[in-house]
Every structure is written in structure tokens, then in C-alpha cells.
Amino acid sequence: MTPGPEDRPGGAGPAERTAAAAGRPTRASSRTDGHPARPAVGRATRGPADGLATPAGPGSASAGNAPRRPAYEKHTAPEARRGNALHAGAWWLWALGLATAASRTTNPLLLGLIVGVAGYVVAARRTDAPWARSYGAFIKLGLVVIGLRLVFSALLGSPVPGAHTVLTLPELPLPDWAQGIRLGGRVSAEQLVFAFYDGAKLASLLICVGAANALANPARLLKSLPAALYEAGVAVIVAMTFAPNMVADVMRLRTARRLRGRPTGGVKAILQIGLPVLEGALERSVAVAASMDARGYGRTARVPAAVRHTTNALTLGGLLGMCAGTYGLLAAEGAAYGLPVLGIGLALALAGLRLGGRRSIRTRYRPDRWGARAWLVSGSGAAVAALMIYAGTVDPEALLPGVVPLVVPGLPLWPAAAILIGLLPAFVAPVPPKEASQ
Amino acid sequence: MIRFEQVSVTYDGAPAPALRDADFTLPEGELTLLVGPSGVGKSTLLGAVSGLVPHFTGGTLRGRVTVAGRDTRTHRPRELADIVGTVGQDPLAHFVTDVVEDELAYGMESLGLAPAVMRRRVEETLDLLGLNELRDRPIATLSGGQQQRVAIGSVLTPHPKVLVLDEPTSALDPAAAEEVLAVLQRLVHDLGTTVLMAEHRLERVVQYADQVLLLPAPGAPPLLGPPARMMEISPVHPPVVALGRLAGWSPLPLSIRDARRHSPTLQTRLSPPSAPPPPSASPAFEARGSGGEAPSFGKGRGGESRPQGPGLLARLLGRTNTAQPPAAPAPPAGPTPPAAPANPTAPAAPTAPAAHVTNLSVRRARAEVLHGITLTVTPGETVALMGRNGAGKSTLLSTLVGTVPPTTGQVTVCGRTPHRTPPPDMIRHVGLVPQDPRDLLYADTVGAECAAADSDAGRPAGTCRALVTALLPDVPDDTHPRDLSEGQRLALALALVLTGRPGLLLLDEPTRGLDYAAKARLIEILRGLAADGHAIVLATHDVELAAELAHRVLILAGGEIVADGPTAEVVVSSPAFAPQVAKILAPGHWLTVAQVAEALEDTP
């Protein structure tokens, strides 16, 4: 649990609530646990009538006059605020865990389950922020991927042998030198099913990434970057605030074209608007740069020359080591030294980054803290990934259903149960406030 | 605190220095107002304090600028960040992050303050500026006044000794401007912050100033002195000063309160007990009767070439009315004769209205931006739309021009439904000059812009150029529109819109960034157009402009019309929208200095 630093007075309701609903005697929990369950949370199951103090539960004799509320209530997810916000990295780890799980299977039932889990969590915990609306776009992108995969499979053929012919496309005769390539021709059901499974896997990966994108505040994620990478983070944040401004500029200028009596659509309009929009963006970026400069951006601490040189050497050496290590891993004969060199390179580069951070005098205002809820969220993703990888070694058949012959894929029970672990964030992550967009 | 020693700034490639021989010292804990017409180097001077000039902008700075003992030559802007806080003209261009709370912390993060200190100062600043309810809001969703407060807050958190502001209230409605100024005053009084601020709308700020730094003309050295003395010689001054000069009050009053102490004598001179001024007539016209010459208001800039104004424009545009089927009767002397108090807005002759709006509602998503608006604008009438930021003024203009379709209700402009009429047809009936005139400018020379406007509107070549010549006598064809000053750009956009000879002219916040001289020219031009039979609707925060120009004022609040009537009646009764002269001479019905001047001539 990550108690918020500022406690607001708990909702009025919980204080009067009796332990009746819990069905067992509970200890009056402290009012300062930082997780006042507000009525808006809606997830806290509570007695049918708050006002009725009916000590009905077995052994509820201890229900006295002290303000009481069910013990589990302090464990229900609090309303999200700045102080208790879930670390953006936790969402990404969770989503990458789901994505890893998706990459291990082509079973459409399991993939569907993964997408369902991701979708449920997004529906339960996303805010009204602009990035949160991108989830729909990712789902559409996933569908497009499946469609494309099917179309290409039908057009270009597939190595999958198949007995059931669905339709026959007119085949395009190709010259001799293009042997092995086929355009059109017979399309079999097996090949289409295979393509669908494959496309569905890719689409699930995309949707998992989309879920992370919808749930994690990108600006906060960038704030968690190490100090040495801060500049890059700022560049991305400024770019992110610029994109909506440019869109607004385009809308405004298109409207303005109407005022000059010109059509607002068409290529000509875009060309004519393009230059003023770019000019505006340039002017704005210069203004932001001036503002950042005047507000102290880029102030650096003096570091001794020795530290500077060490930083350079560490970073450079680390990167070289990582290159050599990767080459070793991929090349046929270097597998023995590849991994250690890669590890050393990585360690050197990280040390370089850490040392490089000394030049920056920046401090961080209210960084997201990695609390128990963040552990639970990221842990659930990791658990899904680990269990699916394990399932792949134990029962590969169930995870990768065959297409020749065509069979109805079965639902392997315990991998499916493992995926359901991914629902945990929908219960432990703080609930975004309802009025966030107002 | 701020010390300029023989400072001159010359930008690269500029023939003359933008700022010359600045030599002054601003003491600690005072609010200094930087005053001067457009283009005299106000922004350059402000930039020199924060070190952005010349470190960021380029150019050559001669002399020495020291802020709290730090020389800006050896200290880059980022090294002055803990001493100087700078807020530019456009708050949106100032923001680096996307949420209010992060924005407030940004400067402190850069300076490397301890997290506990940052947290405390953010909370203090949220309270100081009344931003606590907005702390988690994305900045893009805030109103203009709120954004301006966030911008000020974001530079306050590092506790700077000097605050530099460039036109902090120009874009704000009167109430939001008061809010910002109250904060500034509190900073000066309670925290001892030194504030240096440039502002065109002197009527809002001059009474708060401890000192005035006057840049009288381009290339002239700045003068520093107490506000009353500086205002005596300043070419730009608010109406209260103009009235004081006219009446010969000494010392010159700067605030309404001071002026009201002097006002009884003027009141008796103005209105002999036997003949009180007619209360219902909209007196803006009486001033027009004297040839449209405003005797003292805004005429300070000596040698300012007067627009050739109504005469030429009337000739250029005069054909409009005859060409148009429901011809507006050419108003002989004043567009709207002073009408009976019962229905003061209706013109004497029954003419087709220039615009007619019935029960209009506009929704954006779930928000009702406009609700139940009913409005008629007659040819020759000038209507001022007022109200706070976000009250729906711009949306109403957009529905009139057809860029926003009404959700329910009817909009008819010159017999057409704007959003269903194709744009080329529409621009001959209604024209809108948007808030930022640059939105209308695409070409890279004034000449090309004019040629495009002629072909867009289907007018003979040269129509637009003639208009531009009338409005901007000395702008050559090959000037790039971006090189024009704010006022010139506005005039160019106006000319482009007028090329279509629209019967209804709409202007959105036309005086933003204009100095008094440019504003006076705009007023002349618009009066000429109104006299010509154009209906004009302007959305503005500028009460002085409305007082000078409008026959009728509509006040919008929350998307509904809450007041509609002749200017004199509506604005005089409102504390926020009353012009200074009306406040000083209440309960009289004078709105502008020009009217008072004329009345004084009549009653020697």
C-alpha cells in the first residue's frame, strides 16, 4: 500500500458503517490509512442500508459504539490522486508481461482472453486524458493487422498445405526468374486459419501495448528517466504538447480559409495551410525554448574533469561492450564470451549514465513512488508471462494448436487461469476520479 | 535592483538600434510600468532584464545591465533564473509541461531545490494565486485568465526578486485582468518583489504603478519618473489621463478615485442645472458629428498620418449598398438617429436586418456554448459583444459567419443561412476578422495577398489594393505580412475581408496588442464603415473601444445574453464594463473623452 501523503477526511459514510456486511467482527481501522473508499469507488461491497446498525453477523458482539468499517475496505483501491498514483512503469511492465504471454501462443481462445483481460483493466482504470483515448485506435490497428495478414496470405499463397479449398483466385503467370513466388491461385481454409492465428497474435501484442499507452501517463513515465537522459525526456514531452497545438492550428487555419471564401478541403488547402502551420510551430518552439532558458533549463553543476572523463570512458566502453556482446551472441562461434561481454558492457553503460547524472542539478517534484500496488500490478503481468512461458514448455500443443488437419482449438485450463491473474490491476490500482475531464 | 548603464541594443541587420541610451535604476520592491507606443523597444528592454536579449535573440548589447548585482553579459538567462522571472505575451508559449502542478514546479526543478521545499512552495503559490482547484488540470483546458495566473505562478515559485511581464492583461477580460493585477500588487506589497511590466491597456494598470518608465518614441532614450509626471508627457495615456489633461487637473489623476475628487467642477461646467444631457441618446454619435475627429483621445503620436478614412472608404465601398438588393438607406449624418428610449436600437427606416438570429443554441459535445440567443443587427449599426473569456462571444461570431453550424435555431445573414452557403458566396455578405489576423494571411507579400483576395471575392483586380492603400497609406506591395506591426496586420486583414464588400462585418477582439494610436485609427475606420451602412459586430474586452464605437452593447454570460441595450445604458450601470470617463462623471452619461471635449466646446 502506498499511503498518500495528504489524507483527506474519509468519506462520511464509512464511519457509520457497521460490520454487519462483513459478517465477522472487525477492528475499527484507522482513519488515516490514506485509502478512504469513497462512494464513487463503487467496488466496496457494503451493507444494504448504511443507517441500519444491525449486529447480525455471527459473533458480532464486539460491535460497540466505536466507528467501524469492514477490514477489507482499507484494502480496496483508493481514488487516484497525485500522491498515490501508480507508477507509470508498473503499467508498462504489466502490459509487457501480457504481451510476452501473447507472443507465446497462437491459440485464439487464449489470445482472446488476453485481449479481454487487457480491455477490462483499461475500462476499469483509464482516465479521460487524451492518451487514454488511444486504446480504441490500437484495437482498430489490431483488426487491420489481422485483415492484412489474411489478404496477403490469400494473394501470395502460403507454405501451409491444405486440403479444403475455399476459393480459387485467378493466378497471375510470372516469368521463370520469379519462381517460388505465386500471385493468386488456390486459397485453402488451413492457410487462412493459420494466417488468422498469426495475425491475432500480432494484434494481441499491439493491443497490450495500447493498454499500457492508455493507462500510463507518458509524461510521468518520462519523468522517471535517469537524470542523464532528462534532456531527451524533455524533448519528447515538448513534442507531445506540440502535436495537439499543431492540430489546433490546422483546424483554425482551415476555418480561416473559409473566411477568405476558399474551400476548406482538398490538396491545395493543405498545401496553403502547411506553411503557416509550420511557421507557427517554429515560432512557438522558439518561444518555448526562450521560456525554458529563462526558467533555468540546462543549468549544470560543475563536476571535476576526472569525473567527466570517467563518464565518457564508461559510456563509450559500455556501448562498445554491448555491441561486441550482441555480436558474440548472434555469431556462430562467439556464444561463449557473448553473454558475459554483453553483461559487462551493460553494467559499464549504466554506471556511465549514473555518473553522468551528477552534472545535472535537477531535483524531482513529487516523483511517482513505487509502492506495494505498483509491485502487485507489475507482478501480475510478470506472473502471467512466466506461467505462459512455463506452459509453453509443458504443453506446447495446447498453446500452438495445429491447422493441418483443421481442429477446433481447445481451451487449456490452467494457462487460461494464469492469464486471469492479469486482471489483478483492475482491483488494486487506484481508481481515476470520475470528474477528471471536467 | 535593475540597473541599465548606457544600454543600446542593435539587432543583426537592423539599421538603427532597437533601444538607445537606456540609463536608469529601478529600486527594489517597486512596480514599474513600461509605457510607450508600439515598436519603441519595450520587449527589447524587458528581454534585456532577463538576459534573453542578447543571449537568446542575438544582436549587440552595448553598455551594461545588472540585475541584483549580476551582469547579464556574463550570466546567461538560465543563470539568472533564480533572480528574474519572465512571463511573455502568450502564456501558452511559456508552458513546458502539461499539468498545472508540474508547471509550477518546473522552474524549481531546474534550479535543483529540495523536494520538500518545492512541495511547500507549490502549495503556497497555489493558494496565493487561487489555483488550488486547478492543480491537476491539463493546462490546455484552462481559460485565458487562469493560464496567465499559472504562468505567473510558474515563475513565482523559485522566489525571484524581479518579475518581468510583457502585456499580462491584454488578452484578458476586465475581471480576469483585475485578478492578475491584484496578485501582482500583493507580490509587490507583501513580498517586496520588484515588478517591471509593459502593458498597452494603461487604463487597467497605471494606477497600480509606483514608477513609470516611458519610451516616448523609437530611438528616444527611456525616461523614468513618478506616474503622474510621466503621464503628462506620455504620448500614450488612458482616458482618465486624457480627461485630466483636457480639464487641466493638477496633479494629474491616475485612478478613478483621484479623478472623481476633481470631477464636481467638471460636472458643473458640463451640465448647467437647467439642461441635463439627454440620457437615452447614444452619445457616441454626437462626437462623430464633429467630423469624426477625436480631439485628444489617442492622438498623441505626433505626425501620425491620419487614415484618409471615411471619405475614400466610402467611395470605395459606397457601391456596395446600391448593388445589394435590400439597399440600406445611406445614413445621412449618423447611422442610427437617437431613437426613443423604448426601442433605441431600431433604426428609423424599416430595412432588412443585416443579421437575424432566432433562438440559437450551439453545443460542443455536451456543453451548451450558446443557449437561446435571439438577436437582430440592422445595417449601419455597431454592436459590441462583451463578457468574460469563454462566454461564447467567438462562437456567436462563428455561427454568424457560418463556420459553426447552429445546433438549434435559425441564423440568417443578408437573407442566407451562413453554414449552408458556399464560402465564395458568403464572403460577399459577411466577413470575419479573427482574433489573430495572421490566420487570414497566406501569401508572402501584401501584393499577392491583395491579388488573391480579389480573385477570391470575384472583384476586379485592384479592388483590394485600393482598400489597403486607404487603410495603410505607406505599405509597399512587396512587404511580407509578418513584417507588419500588429495594427498594420489588422488593417490588412480588414482590407482583405472588405474586398468582398460584406454587409456584415465581424471582428473578434480587434484591439489586442494595439497601442492607442493604432486603436484610434481602427475606430476611425470602423466608424467610416458603419456610416457607410455596414453592420459591425465586435467581440471585445476593451470597454473603451466599445464606448467609442458601439451603438449597442450585448453582454454574454454562460452562453446567454444577459444585457442588451444602447451602449450608454448598458455599460454605465456595470462596474466591470463601464469606461473610465463614465465612472468618473457618473451619474452623467458621458462615455468618452471626445464627448466631454465636445460638450465643453458647446458650453464655454
Side-chain angles (χ1 to χ4, degrees), chain A residues 6 82 252 255 257-260 262 279 283 291-293 295 297 299 361-363 365-366, chain B residues 78 94 96 101-103 105-106 109-110 112-113 119 122 403 418 427 439-440 442 449 456 482:
Chain A
E6 310 165 294
R82 174 83 187 219
R252 218 184 57 238
T255 317
R257 272 182 66 81
R258 205 188 144 92
L259 303 178
R260 295 276 307 254
R262 303 180 193 179
E279 274 175 5
E283 270 173 23
S291 150
M292 285 168 67
D293 202 5
R295 289 165 75 186
Y297 174 80
R299 276 165 84 113
I361 58 161
R362 286 187 66 80
T363 44
Y365 176 74
R366 294 185 84 179
Chain B
R78 65 187 67 151
H94 171 91
V96 183
E101 199 174 342
D102 288 331
E103 189 63 35
Y106 179 82
E109 287 183 322
S110 299
L113 297 184
R119 184 68 199 276
V122 166
T403 48
I427 57 167
D439 290 357
L440 285 185
Y442 307 106
E449 240 12 301
D456 285 340
R482 284 190 181 256

Side-chain angles (χ1 to χ4, degrees), chain A residues 31 55-56 69 80 90 111 117 133 149 174 187 192 196 227 231 240 290 298 304 307 327 349 361 380:
Chain A
R31 291 283 301 277
R69 55 183 181 175
L111 288 176
V117 164
R133 291 177 214 137
R149 187 77 181 76
L174 290 176
V187 180
L192 285 184
F196 172 72
E231 267 88 359
M240 281 191 324
V307 174
Y327 179 79
I361 58 161
S380 70

Side-chain angles (χ1 to χ4, degrees), chain A residues 146-219:
Chain A
I146 295 178
L148 272 183
R149 187 77 181 76
L150 285 174
V151 168
F152 275 112
S153 168
L155 279 183
L156 298 175
S158 158
V160 179
H164 304 78
T165 303
V166 181
L167 76 162
T168 311
L169 295 174
E171 186 163 349
L172 203 69
L174 290 176
D176 280 348
W177 49 264
Q179 258 183 352
I181 300 176
R182 205 188 69 182
L183 276 182
R186 204 170 62 86
V187 180
S188 73
E190 285 87 350
Q191 126 189 23
L192 285 184
V193 170
F194 181 78
F196 172 72
Y197 286 0
D198 219 36
K201 182 162 107 181
L202 200 53
S204 315
L205 283 175
L206 277 173
I207 290 171
C208 289
V209 172
N213 204 36
L215 290 165
N217 181 338

Side-chain angles (χ1 to χ4, degrees), chain B residues 198-480:
Chain B
E199 180 62 66
H200 277 314
R201 301 222 170 145
L202 293 177
E203 64 269 21
R204 288 179 173 175
V205 293
V206 77
Q207 69 265 34
Y208 299 119
D210 299 313
Q211 304 242 42
V212 165
L213 186 60
L214 174 68
L215 281 164
L223 307 165
L224 182 70
R229 229 182 56 222
M230 286 294 120
M231 277 299 123
E232 279 170 26
I233 54 168
S234 167
V236 289
H237 46 254
V240 60
V241 169
L243 191 69
R245 284 193 193 176
L246 181 74
W249 291 333
S250 178
L252 205 55
L254 298 176
S255 66
I256 305 290
R257 194 166 171 230
D258 293 343
R260 279 192 71 92
R261 296 203 179 111
H262 293 286
S263 71
T265 52
L266 185 63
Q267 295 258 28
T268 48
R269 270 174 74 195
L270 279 169
S271 52
S274 54
S280 66
S282 100
F285 299 118
E286 290 160 20
R288 263 213 79 242
S290 65
E293 177 70 68
S296 72
F297 181 76
K299 281 287 161 222
R301 247 179 125 172
E304 176 77 31
S305 59
R306 273 199 59 217
Q308 295 159 31
L312 180 50
L313 273 176
R315 260 182 286 129
L316 284 165
L317 293 158
R319 285 160 288 175
T320 315
N321 301 325
T322 47
Q324 215 170 291
T336 316
N343 190 5
T345 58
T351 53
H356 188 66
V357 175
T358 339
N359 203 14
L360 166 77
S361 293
V362 174
R363 279 179 144 215
R364 267 195 198 130
R366 280 172 183 262
E368 254 193 339
V369 189
L370 290 177
H371 178 72
I373 303 276
T374 300
L375 166 72
T376 305
V377 184
T378 47
E381 189 181 28
T382 303
V383 179
L385 283 179
M386 307 189 80
R388 54 180 90 85
N389 294 71
K393 302 188 295 292
S394 298
T395 311
L396 182 54
L397 293 188
S398 301
T399 49
L400 285 174
V401 82
T403 48
V404 172
T407 312
T408 57
Q410 275 284 327
V411 180
T412 319
V413 174
C414 302
R416 285 167 176 75
T417 311
H419 70 280
R420 296 223 181 86
T421 314
D425 190 18
M426 207 59 227
I427 57 167
R428 300 188 197 182
H429 298 98
V430 54
L432 168 69
V433 180
Q435 217 169 71
D436 188 352
R438 275 182 294 188
D439 290 357
L440 285 185
L441 310 176
Y442 307 106
D444 43 12
T445 62
V446 171
E449 240 12 301
C450 289
D454 286 338
S455 71
D456 285 340
R459 300 287 176 198
T463 314
C464 179
R465 180 63 229 187
L467 280 164
V468 171
T469 316
L471 301 181
L472 293 171
D474 42 1
V475 170
D477 257 354
D478 57 352
T479 317
H480 195 288

Side-chain angles (χ1 to χ4, degrees), chain B residues 38-198:
Chain B
S38 293
V40 290
K42 292 198 295 292
S43 296
T44 305
L45 197 153
L46 294 181
V49 175
S50 60
L52 288 171
V53 175
H55 287 292
F56 195 84
T57 56
T60 319
L61 185 139
R62 243 176 258 114
R64 180 195 296 269
V65 181
T66 41
V67 183
R70 290 191 206 170
D71 190 337
T72 61
R73 259 191 305 186
T74 52
H75 290 78
R76 300 174 56 77
R78 65 187 67 151
E79 284 140 12
L80 293 167
D82 51 336
I83 294 186
V84 184
T86 312
V87 181
Q89 289 183 5
D90 180 9
L92 269 183
H94 171 91
F95 298 130
V96 183
T97 63
D98 52 352
V99 180
V100 171
E101 199 174 342
D102 288 331
E103 189 63 35
L104 293 184
Y106 179 82
M108 294 189 290
E109 287 183 322
S110 299
L111 299 178
L113 297 184
V117 176
M118 288 200 279
R119 184 68 199 276
R120 203 187 61 225
R121 287 199 189 166
V122 166
E123 299 297 334
E124 286 164 4
T125 311
L126 286 171
D127 284 341
L128 182 69
L129 302 186
L131 291 169
N132 194 31
E133 301 85 68
L134 310 174
R135 62 189 302 161
D136 292 322
R137 286 265 296 272
I139 290 171
T141 63
L142 302 182
S143 74
Q146 291 169 335
Q147 284 179 351
Q148 193 63 264
R149 277 189 289 153
V150 173
I152 293 175
S154 72
V155 298
L156 277 184
T157 45
H159 286 192
K161 294 197 172 116
V162 176
L163 200 57
V164 177
L165 304 140
D166 198 353
E167 299 204 28
T169 73
S170 321
L172 305 182
D173 59 70
E178 291 292 330
E179 218 170 73
V180 169
L181 290 169
V183 164
L184 291 179
Q185 237 198 333
R186 194 163 163 201
L187 292 176
V188 172
H189 286 205
D190 295 359
L191 304 178
T193 314
T194 310
V195 176
L196 176 59
M197 162 167 71

